[in-house]
Amino acid sequence: MKDIPYKIYLDESELPKNWYNLRADMKNKPAPLLNPATLQPMTAAELSGVFCDELVTQELDDTTPYFEIPEEIRDFYKMYRPAPLVRAYCLEKKLGTPAKIYYKFEGNNTSGSHKLNSAIAQAYYAKKQGLRGVTTETGAGQWGTALSMACSYFELDCKVYMVKVSYEQKPFRREVMRVYGASVTPSPSMETEVGRKILQEHPGTSGSLGCAISEAVEMATHSEGYRYVLGSVLNQVLLHQSIIGLETKTALDKYGITPDIIIGCAGGGSNLGGLIAPFMGEKLRGEKDYRIIAVEPASCPSFTRGKFAYDFCDTGMVCPLAKMYTLGSGFIPAPNHAGGLRYHGMSTTLSQLYDDGLMEAVSVPQTAVFEAAEQFARVEGILPAPESSHAIRAAIDEAMKCKETGEEKTIVFGLTGTGYFDMLAYEKFHNGKMDDYVPTDAELQAGFNKLPKV
Amino acid sequence: MKDIPYKIYLDESELPKNWYNLRADMKNKPAPLLNPATLQPMTAAELSGVFCDELVTQELDDTTPYFEIPEEIRDFYKMYRPAPLVRAYCLEKKLGTPAKIYYKFEGNNTSGSHKLNSAIAQAYYAKKQGLRGVTTETGAGQWGTALSMACSYFELDCKVYMVKVSYEQKPFRREVMRVYGASVTPSPSMETEVGRKILQEHPGTSGSLGCAISEAVEMATHSEGYRYVLGSVLNQVLLHQSIIGLETKTALDKYGITPDIIIGCAGGGSNLGGLIAPFMGEKLRGEKDYRIIAVEPASCPSFTRGKFAYDFCDTGMVCPLAKMYTLGSGFIPAPNHAGGLRYHGMSTTLSQLYDDGLMEAVSVPQTAVFEAAEQFARVEGILPAPESSHAIRAAIDEAMKCKETGEEKTIVFGLTGTGYFDMLAYEKFHNGKMDDYVPTDAELQAGFNKLPKV
């Protein structure tokens, strides 16, 4: 076997030419989105009022295994991809583990995360359709930043509704979006009907993601030449994110490495779904077996404590229903939760795979996540995003089990991004102001009781 | 000629094994540091009270052309190096220039800049000497962050005196240093004699870099097992930073590219000195010729409007005298200046080369720098540090000259880092609150009048 460098960089020529559509290899397909009014599957025509036409096609297609990546998107990818697969030699040494640890690092771009992989694709299709612009919502700001960068590249108008509390507490994220020419509106705003209504009912509210989604959707569907875009959960997003897994697999194959365990953090599932795609494909086709682990925060445990049921994708209940592991669309994680991954539901594809026993899930408490983040930063030199640090926590835990048993397992995890705009959370951690509150069974049950009857 | 990819990544095996000591090829050597008390050249014995022994050797040696990079440092370098040399295809297209633009990107690490290249070397030699720790000062925080990362890796104590106004206005930089286990003290502090004295004379002062240097030096020289380290200006730092230029040259040679113009921003000179080292070496040996351009802020124009004279390296006048282009050690750039590169002097090596006519210098106003930064970010996807953006400004200006003349010049510039912790400056720019104040001749003359008589 060849010597394995610290960082495996693929050549530009090895950049994948196709995205991989995991659904094509699933026997049990993910359940379709339902129209909340009729409870019938959403049609292409219904979806195309909200999303670009080609994205609707990608959203609905569960049989075509590969979609060609347009040259224009590949050119953009070349600015920051192929992303490195890093051998965590220093972490292994520090842990004293016989395990071999690799991580796919998606943070080497200004948006600071993997979100850019789908943002550029969605912006491209909007441009191709001749649209003027797109609207979206953002909470912490990673998705909004990624979309701003993508729209700037294709000279599309970009309108971001940013949850008001984040808008005020994270002025730097907002400022990055302004560098890329996006207009950023604190939500709720007076610009939309739903915003005005909420402000009238709750004067002085600091907003929520659910409300920001509703405003973005309203603005898109009421403005000529605009569509709405979303950074996670959807099948189209998982499709675009498959580039993470495809590159990872190419890099591993090049050095003859077969992973035993693949680990990713899971909020809506965009990173996890992308990272595991080609590996899960092999598993589905019976070619190989891998342990695949989703890691979620103990404060928002969709997989580990949620219900597999049809639910609204948004808190405002204006979007279609999706069959997924959910805590109920009204679920809001404890306000002290700093670690991202706050979505109440989960990608329908991943939900189906989990329900079919093809992957595992663990939940980890917040303090343990930041401990792992700091340990990782000190030896590997990268200050990780809180979201990514959930995967680090699980990877370290698995590596420590190997230390006990002496097994030389190969662990691959997704390092989705950097934490440069999350230093408030790190500060909280250093000052001992973080707590590990998890929802009680009664609290979760209250959410389950409100699930729509489908 | 081979197709040139967007990003040229060298293999790990191509990581330089030696640093290059530019002084060895200089006919006119940089003038020695002088003891301020005796006005005699500083001896190794005198310097070793402040700096580690091996660093003193490197500081004083102006004849040995190559210093081997210890294996331990090379291992650390492998976590973030070789750094990519990027072909700015998108910027070229946007500008419509026939020029070919390349940039060496040093921002792919958590410190966000090239400073880590020297920090890890200085930490290594401190560890090797059996020291307990090191002290330093930091203003904006890039150097402090880099040193924290390096000390964490070698398990050395790291004590950073951070200018109080930065400590308060940049809590996130401070928090990054805490992730890496450094102790960060706002300066002036009650921990040192000089700090107590300053606080007594100026209660409520928000500090200055000069004061922080004095505190760090006092703490190092009064504590058993500690030395002081510095992130720029010194010969040893330029030596370590030569890795930037060596990698750049290897990457260019690999594709048969010869640059016409090499551009770097210049504050104390660490990035510029490192980037140009091997190219200037060829020029000094008469093998090749290049245009080499230093870019400095119009508000702190050491090269373009300074005097070449012996001066104190620090505002507190406790450090040795260096012969350099200087605005006077009491010079303080206008407080509205957000763009970094605020040092009153310049590396003695670069000063000598400039005085010998071997390189050029230009100064650029702040607003134009941020315009270039934003233009670059939008097409190249990287949000640049204000410091680096000085080089971008000059590179764009040269590329636009090529557009006029039709010349296909090859331009290489140093992109020293990212601006993720500089969003306050970008916000100022967006809000039109930046001004382009430059010092008057009379203000500069006042500084020159106070230069020490040597």
Side-chain angles (χ1 to χ4, degrees), chain A residues 7 81 175 179 378 430, chain B residues 7 81 175 179 378 430:
Chain A
K7 300 186 302 305
R81 307 200 71 84
E175 217 51 48
V179 167
R378 288 187 181 189
H430 287 139
Chain B
K7 301 185 304 306
R81 309 200 70 83
E175 217 52 48
V179 167
R378 289 188 180 189
H430 287 139

Side-chain angles (χ1 to χ4, degrees), chain B residues 436-450:
Chain B
D436 288 324
Y437 179 81
V438 295
T440 63
D441 286 341
E443 282 167 327
L444 293 183
Q445 191 55 53
F448 300 149
N449 290 341
K450 288 184 197 152

Side-chain angles (χ1 to χ4, degrees), chain A residues 253-267:
Chain A
D253 287 350
K254 213 167 160 173
Y255 286 86
I257 305 159
T258 304
D260 298 295
I261 309 175
I262 300 162
I263 298 172
C265 63

Side-chain angles (χ1 to χ4, degrees), chain A residues 3-175:
Chain A
D3 271 358
I4 295 163
Y6 279 63
K7 300 186 302 305
I8 305 176
Y9 274 107
L10 299 177
D11 286 341
E12 215 162 85
S13 58
E14 293 168 297
L15 189 75
K17 295 194 169 46
N18 299 286
W19 291 304
Y20 167 58
N21 182 13
L22 179 55
R23 289 167 291 165
D25 281 311
M26 290 170 70
K27 208 163 68 183
N28 298 329
K29 305 289 183 191
L33 297 173
L34 299 187
N35 183 321
T38 64
L39 297 187
Q40 294 302 305
M42 293 286 290
T43 63
E46 288 170 336
L47 285 170
S48 66
V50 181
F51 300 118
C52 304
D53 297 347
E54 292 217 36
L55 293 169
V56 170
T57 304
Q58 294 178 358
E59 189 63 32
L60 296 176
D61 187 332
D62 58 10
T63 54
T64 306
Y66 290 99
F67 284 82
E68 192 180 342
I69 307 176
E71 199 59 36
E72 292 86 342
I73 297 177
R74 281 170 48 87
D75 279 348
F76 185 88
Y77 278 163
K78 287 175 191 168
M79 292 206 304
Y80 70 103
R81 307 200 71 84
L85 180 71
V86 187
R87 173 75 183 267
Y89 282 118
C90 298
L91 180 62
E92 291 170 18
K93 191 174 156 195
K94 186 77 185 177
L95 298 175
T97 177
K100 294 171 179 61
I101 309 175
Y102 295 83
Y103 54 91
K104 178 71 170 172
F105 181 45
E106 291 286 327
N108 269 352
N109 71 75
T110 287
S111 81
S113 83
H114 67 293
K115 296 278 182 183
L116 195 53
N117 301 331
S118 183
I120 192 64
Q122 297 193 48
Y124 167 77
Y125 291 116
K127 186 72 180 179
K128 198 178 160 199
Q129 195 172 323
L131 298 177
R132 287 183 50 204
V134 293
T135 71
T136 199
E137 75 292 332
T138 200
Q142 281 184 334
W143 167 246
T145 311
L147 190 67
S148 305
M149 290 177 69
C151 287
S152 162
Y153 184 77
F154 284 124
E155 297 181 342
L156 272 175
D157 189 36
C158 179
K159 188 144 190 57
V160 181
Y161 290 89
M162 189 170 186
V163 178
K164 191 181 270 175
V165 59
S166 297
Y167 182 90
E168 284 161 1
Q169 288 182 354
K170 294 201 163 190
F172 296 162
R173 269 282 181 205
R174 182 185 75 205
E175 217 51 48

